[in-house]
Every structure is written in C-alpha cells, then in structure tokens.
Amino acid sequence: MSGSIQDTFFEECEELLEATDEGLTAIEGGNHDPEVVNAVFRAVHSIKGGAGAFGLDELVAFAHRFETVFDEVRANRLELEPKLIQLLLRSSDHLCDLVATARDGGETDEAHHNMLIAALDEYIPEEEEDLTFEPMGLGAPGGFAPAAIDIPAAPTEETYRIRFHPMKEMYGTGNEPFFLFQALKELGELEIKLDDTELPGFDAIDVAESYLAWDLVLTSTEPRDKIEAVFEFVEGLCELSIEGDGDAEADAAALEALNAAFGVAPSAEDGDAAPAPFDQPAPAPAADAGPAPAVDASADKAPAPKADTAKAEQRGGPKPTLRVELERVDRLINAVGELIINHSMLAQQIANLDVADMRDVETELEGFKNLARDIQEGVMSIRAQPVKPLFQRMARIVREASSATGKTCKLVTEGENTEVDKTVIERLSDPLTHILRNAVDHGIEKPEDRESAGKGKVGEIKLTASHRSGSVCIEIKDDGAGVNRPRVKQIAIDKGLIPENAELTDSEIDNLLFLPGFSTAKEVSNLSGRGVGMDVVKNAVTGLGGRINISSAPGKGSTFTIILPLTLAVMDGMVVSVADQTMVVPITSIVETMRGSDDMINNLGADGTLLSIRGNFVPVCDVAGALGLEKQDDQPPGVYLLVETETGQRSALAVDDIHDQRQVVIKSLDGVCGEIAGVAAATILGDGKIAMILDPESIIAASPSAAAFDTERRMNNAVAS
Amino acid sequence: MQSQVEVKHGDQEVKHAQFSEFVSFTVAGQAFCLKITQIREIRRWSPVTILPHAPSDVLGVMNLRGAVIPIYDLSARFGLHQTEASERNVVIVVAVGGKPVGLLAESVSEIISINPDDIQDTPPVDSRYTMEYIQGIISHDETMVRIINLDAVISVPEQVMM
C-alpha cells in the first residue's frame, strides 16, 4: 500500500522536476516573471512536502534550502543574477539525482551535495536558516501558548482574526497546522484557540476526517498578504477566513466578489463588489491589475477547492489527460497489429475464392483496411509523446559537460512539442547524450579560441526536432570548429581503418567518425570518451530503424541529423522470395529495383560479381548466401534491389522474386533467438506465415564480396583522382 | 479415474496430492514425457520459417496467434537423428521463463499419472545429452519413459536472450 503511494509520489516528482526545470530554463532565458518564480518555488516545495512524508531526509534538507533561496528571490531580497541562476540550475539537477537515488537506491555524490548546500546556504540569510524544520515535538497544537514577541515600534499594528479549518485533504498533502502557526508566530503576537466542537464521540470518530478548527488572533505589523502567504500551500485545502481590524465591511464585499467570481451570485452584483477587498494594510498583489481587480484578486486567494480549477483556467488550463499503464496501451497496439494481419489474411482468402463478382467484397475490404489503419494510427498516437522532457534532460548534459571542460555553451531547443513514440524517446536518450557531450568536448572551442575566431564567447548547440514527411528528424547543430578532417583521416589511417592512400570526399571523412573503434579524443576524457565511439550512437539509431548523418563546415560547426521512423510497430516493406523463403525488405532502404539479365552481370575476380546499371558498376550481394541459406536450384537470381547504405555506397541485393509491397507489422525477435546477422525483425504475412525482415546494411556487411569491393572501390578512387 | 478412486479413501488424500500428471510422447522412437502443467498446447506440425544462421536443432519460427515462437527439434537436441518433419508430427508448446517455445515430437501418446516416489534417477550412461536433458525415468506399462528437464533443453543461451 505504502509502496504504491510512494510510487505515486515519485511519479509526481517527475512532473514537478520537469516543471522546476522548465521554470529555471525560462528564468535563465531572462523571464523573471514572479509567476515563473512562484511555479518553481511551489514545485520544489511539493517535492519537499512529499519527501518529508516518506522520511527522505536528505532530499527534504536539500529541497528546503533550495526552496528557501527561492523564497528570497520571490520576496525580491535576492536578485536573479547569472551566478545564482547557474547555482539554481545545478541544484535542480542535483534534486533530480536525489529523487532518483531515493527511488532507485544508490549513492549520491556527497562532495557535490555538500558543495551545493554550502553554495545555497550563502544565499540564505541567518534568521531564515533558523527556520529549518527543528525536530520539535508535534504535540497538540492547541497547547501552543500565546507567545509575546517584542515588536520594535509598530506604528500600523493590526489585529487579525483568523478562522482556520483544515479539510481532511490538507492532511493528505502532508501539511501540518503546527508549522503554519509557527510561521504565523514569526509575523507577530499570536493567540491560538482550538475549536474542537465538531469532534464527535470516540465511537463515531473517523480517523481520516478533520474535526478540528482553530481561531487565531494575530497582532502584527506585517501586511495582510504576508499572512495570506503563510496559508498559500493549503489554499483550497481548508476553510480560511482572515478578518482585519475594522475591515469587516471590505471583507463582506470581498466575499460577495468571491461569490461573483464563482458564479454563485448573479453577475449584476459585480458593480457592488467593486471595492477592492485587500486595500487595507497593503495592496494585494493583483490589486493593480485594472479596473475590476476585486474579482481577480479574490478568485486567486479564494480559500475554496474551486480555486485550483479557477487558476488552471486562468492559465489557459492544461488539457485533461489520463494516466494509463503503458502495458495496456501496448496490449492494444498488439491487438491492432493482429487486426492488420487478420485483414491481409482475409484479403488473401477472399482472393483465393472462386467468385465471379467480388467488387462489393473488395470495397468493404478496403473499408476494413482503412479503419484498421485509422485505429492503428490512433493507438500509436497514444504512445507518442513530446520530446520536451528528453530535451530538458539534454540541457543538463550540456551544462555538466560545459563545466567539466571549462567551456561555456548553451543549448537552444526547438520543436520541443514534436511527438515521437515513447520507446524512441527512451532509446534516443543515450545517443543524444553522447552526441551532445561530443559536441561540447570536441566541437565547441575554448572561450578564448572562440573569441580569436571572431565568434561569441558562448558556444551554441541547437537541438531541433521536427516531422519530415513521415519521419522524425532530430538535428544537433553546434557552432564549433567543425570536424578536423586531416586529423580524422590521419587517425583512421593510424588505426588501419582505411588504406593510407585512400582518397576520400569530405563527407566520407566525416562519416569515418561512425566507424567502430574510432575515437578522436587525444586522451580518454571521462566526458565523451568512455571507450565507446560514435559507432555506438549509430548502432542505437539504426536499431530504431533510423539513420544518422553528419555534415560539417570547418570553423562553422557540425550538424548531426537523425532521421527516425514515426513508429516502431509498422513499416512499409517489399515482400520478396529468397531461396524459397519469403522475406521483407524495408522500402526505405531500396533505391531501385530491376529485373536482371545475364548481360548485366560482370564477374570480377573469383567471387566478385558486379551489376551494370546504366554504365555504373555496383557490387552484387547474394542475399541467400549472406543468410547462409541453400538454394534449391541453380537458377540465377531474378531480381536486384538496389540499396544505398549510410555511407552512400550502393549495393545490389540479389533475390529470387518480388511479390508485393505492403505494410507489415514488426515483430521483434528478442527472446526468440539471439541477434541474427542480416535480419532485423520478423513479421506475419497474410497467409499466417512468419517472414524475416531483412536488414540490408548488415547483409551487405556480411557479404564478403561487397565488403572487399568497397575497399577496392576506394582504392580505385584513389587512383582515379 | 484414478484420482476419483483416491478421493474416496480419505486417508489416502495426502498421497493423492503427490501424484502429478505427465504427457508422454515419442521422439525418434523413444518415449519421453513432460509435466502436464508445463505444456500450454499441442499443435499439428506446419512448415516453419527458417531462421538464418540458426543451429541445426532450431527448426525455425512459427506464428502462434500473433506471437513469434522458436521451434526446436527435440530429436536433434537429444543427439538423435534429425527429424524429417511432416504433418503427422506435433509441436508441443511449452512456456519457458514465461515465453512460449515449440518442441517438435513424433507423436503424443497419453496422459499418465506418476507418483514422484516412482521416479528413478537416470542411471549413468555414456551420453552427454541424455544426462543433461533427462531428469529421471519411470516405468510405465513395462516401457521406460524419460522425464525431460525442460530448463536444460531450452538451454542457457536462449534463456539469457529472454
């Protein structure tokens, strides 16, 4: 039980951390709007509250400091200067870590933790620090003796009568009246009277219900909004009324205005409600909002559960959402996949029937197909999520990488609302992290180098997401030095990745970065060089059925472009037969198909075969051979599929025949067998049979003739030019 | 039938609870059996899709109501001859680690009730496969039935993949 509550807390933490990050990013971008500051403050406070309920002391202590600094900012006692913003950003990152540690176990970096705490403490004024949660006895708040505090010269001393009646929901959020009273006590002389008249007999008591109310009399010089601020976090969770000295009249007006705001009273009364309710000690925050401030102000402060809704609407309101277990969605996706397979089976069965006029059936079948696609797209869109959280995490990566390398960079993101399949987002995190670290480590120059190159001190990395004709495009663009081509080439030669006399085009050199075993770092820094190179990035992207490209301009920067399929569940494929087996080749990798004839085939050496296409020679890759399948007869392959790999090299895949081009449902072979060279996944065809979905890249890699030819071609190029 | 008789004798109920049912089948002419609870379903053999580069005892993959499941040739797995699969053969679908796996057998014989006390340890013989894959033997109707150790048959590498 408590486990599930804790899960909910961590789920909420995710959202709150996101909100914190979003707010801080806005602040970093120069938006110092109090509402933004407040949003962050509230988010951090909620994390602290929840963490307190679960006894996560470390998290509470840190969140409290973080919050206190923000409170100072809120009160305009601290200025949001860049240094502070950086500290806050790093604190927010650390808060993320602490939450993750609390959830998953493990250790936090203690030195870092203490350093941040010390840094935050510098911003916290002395007396505020004393306010930290002392482990005071949580005795009955009723026994709280009225404490007299010497108030030096209080010219506008005011007495407030506060009636505070918490609802049971308030206790559910981890709020505690005791702390509220403690905070009130800070404001002035406080008299507390417990009202327990609602308390039923012992036998009728419901432990979860809230029966207690308090009448408080506060004598204070502080303005009224200060007192209201104390109750800010229980807003909507309690019945609260604050009556100032002799402002009963204004209060009544406020109440009316409040009613008007909630549509209780007819709008005609708006006129009567005009006098601003909070004009007594100091103007309420919204009192200067315009001609009819009363309604707004009171709506904002309204101690009613409706306040939340009202607020949400004021902010334009988030769209209502539904939190669903991922597994349920996946089950639905599987079922829809079955539906599509079922359709093609049905279509095949009907085609096999000996019926004279099938037009009607075919029309209906077409309708079925369209509906199935609609459902499929709809279900897939449930899985689609904006890339925003991913991009926010990336901002942190850039921050950390910058401080580790002593460079200054900022991450600019665009198209954060582009929606991508959840799995894609999850699996993109590592490659993106790697690329961004690389960009900071190798791409962006040191500040002084940048200045001498006539660029701004601060490096800029732009992370963009967009939809591009049925696929998702993620672009990482830095304005650094670009790929150092002579060096990259030298390293590739040194490592024996290319022959010494190879003559490569610029883009071929850039693509060397993706070769396994290539790493440009002079020494293995703990930042980008973790013993893995960009080939890991490339594998991750191709594993998602995507492609990655790099383009670079010396002195101007590099751009990595990742193209990903919109969905991982369905793809368009060409159904072919290879050695009596039916297989599917992804349409995206096929450039051209052609029927072969003997005069197109040219032998080269003992095993090499070249296909001549309009005067160009392309190496032939025998799919059956590459897959280790034996051919039943000696018939030459009938059809060639011209495919192009990432590096731009072309190859002709020899297959027996092409049958069809259709949408197929991708079935993973994970857990069925290990990784098979040349096979990406499986699918189920219309006849219920399984067909392998081929991976042209790895087929070509597995085909010795093609690989040999590639080197040969490079050598040829070297000779030719 | 047998169990009904057992239930009538109250004092023997404890003993009855120990009985477990096994499905016996033949592979390459020899009798084998698996606990009935390990078996999900038994299907008639239909041609499978070949997995490229797969070992010889992995016949390929089959479509089981939308799931892709691997099919093993039990005979080849036991080091006996490779089965020429035909329509007469059956695929026994078992679940290993929650994942369905198909096992090709010659034919299914019957369901037998076995008292665990009757299970004999496999006597040491000079066959690696036998020792690894057979968990015990029992005598049933004067023939020897071998109890398959399923976890060993669906060997470690595949399980790691899951």
Side-chain angles (χ1 to χ4, degrees):
Chain A
M1 180 67 189
S2 82
S4 70
I5 296 175
Q6 202 157 344
D7 287 347
T8 314
F9 162 64
F10 285 125
E11 263 170 46
E12 278 171 9
C13 267
E14 289 287 304
E15 284 166 22
L16 293 166
L17 286 169
E18 239 170 67
T20 312
D21 222 34
E22 195 178 331
L24 283 173
T25 312
I27 291 171
E28 193 189 16
N31 182 358
H32 294 182
D33 185 6
E35 195 39 55
V36 177
V37 176
N38 271 331
V40 178
F41 177 72
R42 275 195 298 267
V44 176
H45 182 83
S46 303
I47 293 174
K48 183 179 93 173
F54 292 107
L56 305 168
D57 297 336
E58 202 182 18
L59 185 55
V60 173
F62 187 79
H64 178 71
R65 282 190 174 76
F66 194 5
E67 176 196 0
T68 313
V69 172
F70 245 93
D71 202 24
E72 292 295 301
V73 173
R74 231 160 52 115
N76 289 324
R77 283 195 294 268
L78 266 182
E79 201 197 335
L80 279 166
E81 28 101 23
K83 197 170 142 241
L84 176 60
I85 294 176
Q86 286 310 314
L87 174 66
L88 291 172
L89 281 165
R90 267 166 46 217
S91 302
S92 145
D93 294 345
H94 187 60
L95 197 62
C96 270
D97 288 344
L98 285 173
V99 170
T101 312
R103 179 183 51 211
D104 309 326
E107 295 280 314
T108 42
D109 184 350
E110 207 170 306
H112 185 63
H113 181 77
N114 293 335
M115 191 267 286
L116 280 176
I117 284 191
L120 284 173
D121 279 348
E122 274 177 35
Y123 286 96
I124 301 175
E126 288 297 315
E127 74 271 24
E128 286 278 355
E129 229 169 336
D130 295 339
L131 234 169
T132 38
F133 287 7
E134 299 282 337
M136 284 170 137
L138 298 179
F144 211 72
I149 290 177
D150 259 352
I151 302 161
T156 54
E157 193 169 87
E158 193 95 34
T159 307
Y160 299 96
R161 279 178 302 284
I162 304 165
R163 165 85 182 172
F164 173 60
H165 185 191
M167 302 180 196
K168 66 177 173 186
E169 286 81 7
M170 194 198 88
Y171 296 105
T173 59
N175 281 297
E176 166 64 55
F178 174 71
F179 294 126
L180 296 174
F181 302 154
Q182 201 179 4
L184 278 180
K185 208 179 84 180
E186 304 281 334
L187 300 176
E189 199 173 321
L190 183 67
E191 236 179 281
I192 303 170
K193 203 170 143 252
L194 174 69
D195 175 9
D196 59 359
T197 48
E198 277 182 46
L199 207 61
F202 256 121
D203 46 341
I205 209 159
D206 174 2
V207 286
E209 196 44 76
S210 165
Y211 298 108
L212 301 179
W214 288 271
D215 289 308
L216 310 160
V217 180
L218 176 69
T219 314
S220 166
T221 52
E222 298 288 345
R224 185 191 182 107
D225 54 345
K226 270 271 186 187
I227 299 164
E228 280 159 0
V230 170
F231 292 97
E232 183 173 356
F233 292 108
V234 292
E235 204 178 289
L237 299 171
C238 63
E239 286 162 31
L240 179 70
S241 69
I242 304 175
E243 273 176 48
D245 244 352
D247 62 353
E249 227 171 89
D251 228 54
L255 199 72
E256 242 169 81
L258 211 149
N259 287 342
F262 293 135
V264 175
S267 55
E269 279 183 33
D270 268 9
D272 302 331
F278 300 134
D279 56 353
Q280 271 291 320
D288 52 353
V295 173
D296 274 357
S298 45
D300 238 347
K301 295 283 164 195
K306 279 181 187 170
D308 272 350
T309 343
K311 261 192 170 172
E313 278 161 12
Q314 274 175 8
R315 273 188 257 119
K319 284 184 199 158
T321 54
L322 185 64
R323 212 181 257 170
V324 185
E325 244 173 87
L326 191 58
E327 203 196 309
R328 288 199 206 179
V329 179
D330 285 347
R331 271 209 299 269
L332 198 56
I333 288 175
N334 279 340
V336 175
E338 292 305 299
L339 189 68
I340 291 176
I341 292 167
N342 189 256
H343 165 263
S344 53
M345 286 186 183
L346 202 58
Q348 197 153 339
Q349 296 281 333
I350 290 172
N352 290 344
L353 290 177
D354 190 20
V355 181
D357 186 12
M358 294 221 290
R359 271 172 302 178
D360 287 352
V361 182
E362 271 169 3
T363 314
E364 295 303 324
L365 212 52
E366 195 60 31
F368 177 14
K369 184 177 172 183
N370 289 340
L371 276 177
R373 275 218 186 201
D374 279 357
I375 296 173
Q376 193 235 332
E377 272 166 27
V379 175
M380 291 313 293
S381 74
I382 298 178
R383 273 189 66 99
Q385 291 192 325
V387 292
K388 195 172 180 178
L390 176 70
F391 278 18
Q392 278 176 355
R393 282 208 299 280
M394 291 307 131
R396 170 181 185 176
I397 301 291
V398 171
R399 270 203 298 280
E400 284 177 351
S402 313
S403 70
T405 52
K407 296 173 185 175
T408 41
C409 322
K410 62 171 179 187
L411 182 76
V412 180
T413 55
E414 226 171 70
E416 291 172 319
N417 291 324
T418 309
E419 293 196 332
V420 186
D421 186 273
K422 188 176 161 59
T423 313
V424 176
I425 290 184
E426 279 164 7
R427 305 220 324 237
L428 257 185
S429 172
D430 284 348
L432 273 189
T433 305
H434 207 85
I435 294 175
L436 284 171
R437 281 189 177 143
N438 261 317
V440 176
D441 204 8
H442 307 310
I444 303 286
E445 313 93 322
K446 293 229 156 63
E448 54 271 21
D449 293 346
R450 286 186 67 86
E451 276 189 325
S452 59
K455 297 187 209 175
K457 245 193 200 167
V458 180
E460 187 183 285
I461 300 174
K462 201 168 175 184
L463 184 57
T464 321
S466 58
H467 282 293
R468 199 181 280 175
S469 62
S471 25
V472 180
C473 174
I474 311 249
E475 210 175 72
I476 305 102
K477 185 176 181 174
D478 68 62
D479 66 347
V483 175
N484 185 345
R485 295 202 177 108
R487 220 180 106 228
V488 166
K489 195 176 161 192
Q490 192 52 48
I491 290 172
I493 293 170
D494 290 349
K495 301 205 169 180
L497 298 168
I498 52 168
E500 205 162 319
N501 57 350
E503 196 68 37
L504 305 178
T505 63
D506 285 352
S507 103
E508 276 175 318
I509 297 178
D510 292 347
N511 277 301
L512 287 177
L513 292 177
F514 294 118
L515 285 182
F518 187 94
S519 179
T520 52
K522 282 187 205 122
E523 65 241 50
V524 176
S525 67
N526 68 345
L527 191 59
S528 50
R530 284 172 202 243
V532 290
M534 292 294 283
D535 60 312
V536 176
V537 171
K538 189 180 175 178
N539 287 344
V541 172
T542 44
L544 288 168
R547 285 178 287 134
I548 181 164
N549 277 311
I550 174 172
S551 66
S552 176
K556 294 211 174 99
S558 319
T559 307
F560 288 90
T561 313
I562 301 174
I563 310 277
L564 293 164
L566 267 182
T567 136
L568 295 178
V570 176
M571 63 158 214
D572 282 304
M574 193 167 276
V575 183
V576 300
S577 62
V578 177
D580 284 343
Q581 294 277 318
T582 309
M583 302 197 174
V584 177
V585 182
I587 281 276
T588 46
S589 55
I590 300 176
V591 179
E592 193 178 338
T593 64
M594 66 208 71
R595 212 156 264 288
S597 61
D598 284 346
D599 54 333
M600 289 168 78
I601 303 297
N602 304 277
N603 289 328
L604 189 73
D607 304 310
T609 324
L610 300 188
L611 183 71
S612 127
I613 306 165
R614 295 180 290 272
N616 287 322
F617 294 100
V618 175
V620 173
C621 172
D622 181 44
V623 176
L627 293 177
L629 300 174
E630 273 173 47
K631 291 186 135 191
Q632 307 299 87
D633 45 40
D634 262 351
Q635 203 191 342
V639 185
Y640 296 96
L641 311 176
L642 189 64
V643 296
E644 195 174 83
T645 62
E646 299 315 314
T647 47
Q649 61 163 296
R650 291 188 167 202
S651 214
L653 299 183
V655 299
D656 295 345
D657 210 352
I658 294 177
H659 299 292
D660 195 4
Q661 184 182 321
R662 70 153 67 115
Q663 203 177 36
V664 295
V665 178
I666 301 172
K667 296 273 175 186
S668 166
L669 285 172
D670 281 355
V672 174
C673 57
E675 198 173 304
I676 306 169
V679 174
T683 187
I684 297 172
L685 295 176
D687 58 3
K689 283 263 194 63
I690 292 172
M692 298 292 141
I693 299 175
L694 301 180
D695 173 10
E697 290 257 337
S698 75
I699 286 185
I700 292 166
S703 155
S705 62
F709 179 77
D710 188 46
T711 338
E712 221 168 303
R713 188 179 57 105
R714 288 220 167 110
M715 303 288 270
N716 288 347
N717 282 349
V719 174
S721 52
Chain B
M1 281 257 285
Q2 198 179 355
S3 56
Q4 279 180 353
V5 176
E6 297 275 342
V7 173
K8 279 180 192 162
H9 305 288
D11 53 343
Q12 282 191 0
E13 262 186 14
V14 181
K15 205 183 168 196
H16 156 72
Q18 290 170 350
F19 270 77
S20 35
E21 291 186 309
F22 282 72
V23 176
S24 71
F25 46 88
T26 49
V27 175
Q30 302 185 0
F32 291 88
C33 69
L34 272 172
K35 221 179 210 177
I36 202 163
T37 49
Q38 290 175 310
I39 297 175
R40 284 213 184 162
E41 62 181 287
I42 296 168
R43 300 169 68 89
R44 184 183 302 201
W45 163 265
S46 62
V48 295
T49 303
I50 295 169
L51 274 177
H53 307 302
S56 62
D57 52 7
V58 177
L59 290 165
V61 286
M62 190 182 84
N63 170 16
L64 181 73
R65 288 183 297 278
V68 179
I69 68 166
I71 309 292
Y72 292 87
D73 180 355
L74 273 183
S75 173
R77 200 80 170 168
F78 293 150
L80 309 168
H81 64 80
Q82 208 143 337
T83 313
E84 281 293 324
S86 75
E87 283 244 340
R88 290 206 213 134
N89 299 136
V90 292
V91 171
I92 300 169
V93 181
V94 296
V96 179
K99 296 258 183 182
V101 172
L103 305 171
L104 175 70
E106 223 158 75
S107 60
V108 174
S109 317
E110 59 180 323
I111 295 174
I112 50 178
S113 232
I114 296 177
N115 183 342
D117 296 341
D118 295 342
I119 298 176
Q120 303 166 26
D121 289 340
T122 327
V125 287
D126 191 19
S127 167
R128 188 170 63 87
Y129 295 109
T130 315
M131 297 306 289
E132 249 177 67
Y133 297 148
I134 307 301
Q135 153 182 315
I137 51 173
I138 40 160
S139 163
H140 178 74
D141 287 349
E142 319 228 320
T143 60
M144 182 177 80
V145 183
R146 302 142 189 88
I147 301 172
I148 294 174
N149 178 2
L150 198 55
D151 291 331
V153 171
I154 311 305
S155 63
V156 180
E158 279 92 355
Q159 285 188 338
V160 168
M161 288 313 299
M162 293 165 193

